[in-house]
Amino acid sequence: MPLLKTRFAPSPTGLIHFGNVRTALFNVLLAKKTRGVFLLRIEDTDAERSREDYIEALQQDLRWLGLDWQEGESQGGPAAPYRQSQRGALYEKYLAQLEAQGKVYPCFCTALELEVSRKVQAAAGKPPRYSGKCAHLKAEEAARKKADGLPYTLRFRMPKSEALTFDDMVRGPQKFPSEDIGDFIIRRSDGSFAFFFVNAVDDALMGVTHVLRGEDHLTNTPRQIALLQAMELPVPTYGHISLIVDAHGAPLSKRSGSLSVQELRELGYFPIAVNNYLARLGHHFAETELMDLDALSRAFDNSHLGRAPARYDRSQLDYWQAQAVQKIDEAQLIDWLAPALKGMVPEAEFTAFARAVRANILFPHDARLWAEAVFSDALSLSDDARRALEAASSDLFRAAVDALNQDMDFKAFADRVKQASGAAGKGLFLPLRAALTGQTFGPEMPALFRLIGFERARHRLTQHVLSSEID
Ligand code: GLU
């Protein structure tokens, strides 16, 4: 059996978002599972909207997520070049072959003519397709029109009375009557090639065996199969994955919260969290734990790809982020936290601090609150902390100041305060936490207490003794 080869074929007209990076991930998982090849092709035929910096950015994004490709852009390979903008000669060659076989014809219909025809079809409840007006134009007439300088497109002559069938990896057997498709444009009047054509030619020439892509391409597939058959090129196996929708069922967009991979990275998400979330968006895994790409690929199965739209839910992404924060090793945790905590945590205490806050943060920035709560000389109090302090008796703080000593741990300290003040449970722990950290929630007190240290603890507790005596 030939090696399985999948691909990702982005158009570099913007930053990669959730939907398209999930497509890349599924293709990586499919290739990895079978020790096949994952290829990256750049579909930059839209010269005006394609940008070099987007090509750079998308590679950076894929690499950050660990979605490495073994062939294609920046890697090279047997089917180079891997940018469509550099493959013009190949497209010309296949187009010439189709022309020579009479499988392509020039179409001189104007945009207005086509528009009217579409409207008439729509009014009759028919699918919009080309009427075939120029399909039987005599060669001399076509030549005369060309000589007159009339703009024209090139249309592919769809084989008649044939149903185009294929077995979709996700959606099962598919059947499209060729009459419903009609002759479609493969070269525009400005000379540029249509997506259907270049995308199909490239998949064939690059040896792509499996095309897993968005459901929005489902209706393109019969056209591409017809083209490949006409050119006698190999037809890959296609699979169309469900779209990602927002909470209202509308396609996920920037406005409904879709983030670019770059934004995810800047927010501090871990690649493993993003991958675990994306992999489960439209694919069912029996495994509920955080998995690396190898484990995800072993568990990946086409038959677990859902046909229903996948709903994007940021809280699920955050759930995987929390799992990742729990799981990363200490060195990684420290590297991840360091830039956000510059100057806030003494070097010698950094590891202990990172350990203490690990369970209470999703992002490096979250740790700043706890760095301040532990190390700040001028502690600020949350509203809840203020209320908890007001509700507590001054005896408690007096007892706390008396109970403190240099080397005691939090349990011993709290026990002594409890004995001396008579406060217990929430009435004891809440005001102590509020006075010591300025918050009423947060990481385990024993660890924070150790980091706050005797001097700061005494200073913080003493303030409440004084203020409660003044009251
Ligand atoms: N450049 C196309 C896109 O970004 C590729 C579609 C495909 O995967 O075939 O939608």
Side-chain angles (χ1 to χ4, degrees):
M1 193 183 130
L3 202 62
L4 184 145
K5 196 187 273 190
T6 65
R7 50 69 160 179
F8 182 48
S11 305
T13 55
L15 293 175
I16 309 198
H17 273 248
F18 252 90
N20 35 33
V21 80
R22 183 191 57 156
T23 302
L25 173 64
F26 284 160
N27 279 285
V28 166
L29 297 182
L30 181 58
K32 238 184 208 312
K33 187 183 176 71
T34 53
R35 299 189 193 286
V37 170
F38 172 59
L39 175 152
L40 176 64
R41 177 173 72 235
I42 306 295
E43 302 217 322
D44 55 349
T45 46
D46 185 340
E48 254 165 48
R49 293 174 57 224
S50 295
R51 281 179 21 192
E52 194 61 40
D53 54 334
Y54 290 140
I55 298 180
E56 266 314 306
L58 72 88
Q59 293 180 81
Q60 195 189 357
D61 291 346
L62 293 177
R63 288 199 188 102
W64 176 68
L65 288 168
L67 307 181
D68 299 322
W69 56 103
Q70 295 74 49
E71 183 183 337
E73 174 67 24
S74 308
Q75 282 287 348
Y82 291 93
R83 291 190 185 187
Q84 290 189 328
S85 59
Q86 296 166 5
R87 297 174 62 79
L90 283 163
Y91 306 141
E92 296 291 353
K93 180 179 146 201
Y94 282 90
L95 179 66
Q97 187 184 310
L98 287 174
E99 278 184 305
Q101 296 172 342
K103 292 175 178 169
V104 165
Y105 62 87
C107 169
F108 297 90
C109 293
T110 63
L112 184 63
E113 273 177 286
L114 295 172
E115 168 81 33
V116 171
S117 159
R118 258 196 301 275
K119 277 191 185 149
V120 171
Q121 283 172 343
K126 289 185 184 158
R129 60 181 173 86
Y130 182 56
S131 67
K133 187 174 167 220
C134 293
H136 305 292
L137 216 57
K138 296 252 173 323
E140 313 81 72
E141 200 174 337
R144 189 175 43 75
K145 283 179 186 271
K146 282 185 190 172
D148 286 349
L150 289 183
Y152 64 95
T153 57
L154 290 178
R155 284 187 187 270
F156 175 67
R157 225 182 266 282
M158 265 308 269
K160 297 288 171 288
S161 328
E162 242 180 52
L164 281 148
T165 60
F166 62 97
D167 201 4
D168 190 287
M169 277 187 276
V170 184
R171 323 185 92 77
Q174 303 289 314
K175 191 170 176 178
F176 293 82
S178 65
E179 286 75 27
D180 287 355
I181 297 173
D183 300 344
F184 55 89
I185 295 175
I186 61 172
R187 181 173 230 172
R188 300 182 196 90
S189 58
D190 64 2
S192 62
F193 289 102
F195 161 79
F196 305 114
F197 179 67
V198 292
N199 178 270
V201 167
D202 285 347
D203 283 336
L205 298 185
M206 294 177 183
V208 171
T209 60
H210 290 71
V211 170
L212 203 49
R213 59 183 177 183
E215 189 184 22
D216 47 331
H217 287 290
L218 181 63
T219 54
N220 295 333
T221 299
R223 292 174 173 80
Q224 297 195 295
I225 292 175
L227 271 171
L228 290 169
Q229 287 171 344
M231 294 183 280
E232 293 174 19
L233 287 172
V235 177
T237 301
Y238 291 94
H240 294 88
I241 49 184
S242 57
L243 295 184
I244 304 179
V245 294
D246 65 16
H248 310 288
L252 188 64
S253 65
K254 224 178 147 80
R255 264 185 57 206
S256 57
S258 176
L259 295 167
S260 66
V261 177
Q262 195 170 304
E263 283 168 317
L264 293 169
R265 184 167 59 238
E266 282 163 9
L267 284 168
Y269 281 100
F270 283 106
I272 195 171
V274 177
N275 285 335
N276 270 265
Y277 177 57
L278 284 175
R280 288 173 171 85
L281 208 49
H283 182 289
H284 173 74
F285 287 91
E287 296 78 0
T288 52
E289 73 277 13
L290 192 76
M291 291 187 278
D292 63 15
L293 283 171
D294 285 331
L296 282 170
S297 74
R298 282 193 296 274
F300 181 80
D301 188 331
N302 291 340
S303 67
H304 294 171
L305 285 166
R307 297 182 200 182
R311 202 170 284 267
Y312 169 77
D313 180 352
R314 176 85 178 258
S315 66
Q316 280 301 309
L317 173 61
D318 288 348
Y319 167 80
W320 290 108
Q321 173 72 358
Q323 299 297 305
V325 178
Q326 289 309 302
K327 221 174 163 177
I328 47 167
D329 64 39
E330 212 156 83
Q332 257 183 304
L333 178 70
I334 290 167
D335 284 351
W336 178 69
L337 285 174
L341 296 178
K342 255 199 178 79
M344 295 181 83
V345 178
E347 192 78 32
E349 319 258 40
F350 209 99
T351 304
F353 175 77
R355 275 183 204 155
V357 302
R358 189 199 272 261
N360 293 76
I361 54 172
L362 279 184
F363 303 107
H365 199 83
D366 299 342
R368 294 171 66 89
L369 175 68
W370 306 118
E372 234 187 82
V374 170
F375 300 109
S376 167
D377 289 331
L379 189 67
S380 54
L381 303 173
S382 73
D383 290 346
D384 284 346
R386 210 177 296 280
R387 271 190 289 277
L389 289 167
E390 278 163 12
S393 92
S394 64
D395 295 347
L396 181 101
F397 299 111
R398 217 167 290 127
V401 175
D402 293 342
L404 261 190
N405 74 42
Q406 288 280 5
D407 326 290
M408 84 188 349
D409 65 20
F410 185 70
K411 185 171 179 319
F413 166 69
D415 281 348
R416 283 180 67 173
V417 181
K418 181 179 175 180
Q419 269 168 21
S421 69
K426 231 177 141 189
L428 170 68
F429 290 103
L430 202 64
L432 285 183
R433 183 185 273 279
L436 288 167
T437 70
Q439 302 293 334
T440 52
F441 70 102
E444 301 284 338
M445 269 317 283
L448 293 184
F449 188 70
R450 229 172 293 127
L451 287 162
I452 290 166
F454 176 73
E455 287 304 335
R456 266 190 299 256
R458 192 173 59 178
H459 177 69
R460 290 174 182 186
L461 291 166
T462 306
Q463 285 187 343
H464 300 292
V465 175
L466 295 178
S467 60
S468 47
E469 278 176 358
I470 293 162
D471 282 346

